Amino acid sequence: MNDRKKPLIIIVGAGFGGLSAARALASAEVDIVLVDQRNHHVFQPLLYQVATASLSPADIAGPVRSILSSQRNVTVVLGTVTGIDSAARSVSIDNGVRSGSISYDYLILATGARHAYFGNDHWESFAPGLKTIDDATSIRRRLLWAFERAEMATDIAERDAHLTIVIVGGGPTGVELAGSIIELARAALAKDFRRIDPRKARVILVEAGPRILPSFTPELSEAAKQSLEKLGVSVRVDARVMDCDADGVVIGAEHVPAATILWAAGVQASPAAGWLGAAADRAGRVLVGPDFSVPGHEGVFAIGDTASLTDAAGKVVPGVAPAAKQAGNYVGDMISRRLSGFPLPGPFRYRNYGNLATIGRNAAVADFGWIRLRGSLAWWLWGIAHIFFLIDFRNRVAVTLGWLWSFLTFKRGARLITGMLRVPGKHAATTKSN
């Protein structure tokens, strides 16, 4: 235990789970240290809209210090966790200037996940995933620069390769990327170029399983597939990616020349299990008890994408934002009750309030269990739900106005190419902000 008057709780990660845990402890007589390697919280469900130039990064993110500024028992530390000594109950942190350790009474690990390449990590440089603001702006750069290169190309095959975008993974992220990219090409960019017709761009969605959106019912998965194909997306199911490089992707036995490949096929947990020496599943998620406690590590909890838990109802808790928020609330409330001497809550039970995925303009699917929707009504519900769950009022206004502008004009307001494009095997292209 530490020598402070109040118990010290360290929360690692300022995602949905970490912030929810901190807020659940707002009235507790504790000191909280929230550690994250980035100074902002990002609303991950809308990252694909930053990647496809619908929204700007600030529309879906907010500074962690600002978000928690009114909660006086929280101190925010910007730094990277490099290790955990659960025997000494301390966390090692490096902020790039100095390193040190902080002792804790309770530790909540909400460190999220990154993309998984199933043993082919060298593919990452050719097929980036989408988990952070940096990922989103990098993908936006690749997409927009692909059209610029197609405009400059003199060889037909080279031009066609630049106008081919392959998305690997048919879950919600892959489906939403595919729909948004095809609409970017066929509406927002349609009149911007002189030598090419962006409407001829090919978007290919590749899914190794028998259907896209496998977490939805077969009927809604088929409806989503038909909607994508109506937009012009080529959907390939039961198709496995065998290789990818700077020249394209191998799907089964077919090589598809493509300058842009995006990865939405799997996730790998953070190194939290390795820090603790704890048991983990195949994706690296810590195997936790029914209250998210880590067996053999007193006072340590793992939540969100960091944890693997089958709840009291026998359901595997999914790695989605609502589940992370519920887990954060649960663990924060449980610690508060424990410190106050109140009865502890029963084992965690995940409440699934529904699954939503947007496919394109006026097209989405929604599965609430008791009712299933598709089309424009599902699309409006998807928009309302995402605006409601954004982190603050400014974000809600910005996103609402951005969507309204796009809906009325068919234009994208964030078509900026920034930074330097580095594609392995190709020459780097220097670009400037517009």
Side-chain angles (χ1 to χ4, degrees), residues 96-366:
V97 178
R98 62 175 59 90
S99 59
S101 62
I102 304 176
S103 298
Y104 64 82
D105 294 302
Y106 293 95
L107 173 63
I108 302 173
L109 298 171
T111 46
R114 290 291 290 173
H115 2 279
Y117 291 85
F118 310 112
N120 299 287
D121 291 348
H122 59 286
W123 290 357
E124 183 172 11
S125 56
F126 307 111
L130 184 59
K131 288 292 182 183
T132 68
I133 288 289
D134 289 340
D135 294 336
T137 54
S138 175
I139 288 172
R140 183 182 70 185
R141 183 185 310 123
R142 286 182 183 237
L143 284 171
L144 296 178
W145 189 244
F147 287 96
E148 297 292 341
R149 282 184 165 174
E151 175 83 348
M152 295 182 286
T154 56
D155 178 76
I156 294 178
E158 181 186 358
R159 180 202 63 198
D160 290 346
H162 286 307
L163 290 177
T164 300
I165 298 100
V166 177
I167 302 161
V168 184
T173 298
V175 167
E176 290 171 344
L177 272 171
S180 191
I181 291 171
I182 200 72
E183 289 188 337
L184 171 70
R186 300 197 172 184
L189 299 180
K191 299 179 181 179
D192 286 7
F193 295 88
R194 298 295 175 262
R195 300 180 60 192
I196 63 168
D197 183 356
R199 292 172 295 183
K200 294 182 179 179
R202 297 173 64 202
V203 177
I204 303 171
L205 178 63
V206 183
E207 167 56 41
R211 60 188 178 94
I212 61 172
L213 297 179
S215 61
F216 289 73
T217 65
E219 293 78 14
L220 289 180
S221 294
E222 180 61 26
K225 180 175 181 288
Q226 292 176 5
S227 294
L228 285 173
E229 291 173 338
K230 185 177 180 180
L231 286 173
V233 176
S234 173
V235 180
R236 304 191 185 185
V237 296
D238 290 316
R240 189 174 296 276
V241 171
M242 308 304 295
D243 194 13
C244 62
D245 56 28
D247 296 317
V249 60
V250 178
I251 306 172
E254 177 190 4
H255 180 266
V256 179
T260 305
I261 308 166
L262 305 179
W263 193 265
V267 296
Q268 180 72 27
S270 72
W275 293 337
L276 294 168
D281 66 6
R282 293 178 60 184
R285 294 175 295 228
V286 179
L287 298 176
V288 297
D291 60 353
F292 292 102
S293 60
V294 180
H297 299 272
E298 179 66 26
V300 180
F301 301 86
I303 60 176
D305 286 330
T306 310
S308 176
L309 170 66
T310 299
D311 73 5
K315 298 178 181 178
V316 176
V317 179
V320 294
K325 293 175 72 173
Q326 290 179 36
N329 286 327
Y330 174 90
V331 171
D333 177 64
M334 180 179 59
I335 293 175
S336 180
R337 286 171 173 267
R338 180 178 296 181
L339 293 172
S340 301
F342 292 124
L344 299 181
F348 178 77
R349 185 186 183 100
Y350 172 59
R351 290 171 173 79
N352 185 358
Y353 295 110
N355 294 324
L356 300 112
T358 183
I359 300 152
R361 183 184 178 89
N362 266 335
V365 290

Side-chain angles (χ1 to χ4, degrees), residues 43 356 380-390:
F43 188 75
L356 300 112
W380 282 103
L381 286 174
W382 174 91
I384 292 169
H386 282 69
I387 289 172
F388 176 79
F389 284 111
L390 279 166

Side-chain angles (χ1 to χ4, degrees), residues 19 23 41 43 60-62 67 389-393 395-396:
L19 285 183
R23 285 170 164 169
H41 166 82
F43 188 75
I60 66 165
I67 293 169
F389 284 111
L390 279 166
I391 199 66
D392 63 22
F393 179 76
N395 292 118
R396 295 184 189 116

Side-chain angles (χ1 to χ4, degrees), residues 44-129:
Q44 285 193 349
L46 291 181
L47 271 174
Y48 82 94
Q49 295 218 350
V50 174
T52 56
S54 291
L55 298 172
S56 294
D59 293 340
I60 66 165
V64 177
R65 293 184 185 278
S66 177
I67 293 169
L68 296 173
S69 61
S70 61
Q71 188 170 331
R72 306 307 300 175
N73 64 350
V74 177
T75 298
V76 176
V77 173
L78 186 64
T80 300
V81 171
T82 57
I84 297 170
D85 185 340
S86 59
R89 301 175 81 95
S90 68
V91 176
S92 298
I93 301 170
D94 185 350
N95 67 2
V97 178
R98 62 175 59 90
S99 59
S101 62
I102 304 176
S103 298
Y104 64 82
D105 294 302
Y106 293 95
L107 173 63
I108 302 173
L109 298 171
T111 46
R114 290 291 290 173
H115 2 279
Y117 291 85
F118 310 112
N120 299 287
D121 291 348
H122 59 286
W123 290 357
E124 183 172 11
S125 56
F126 307 111

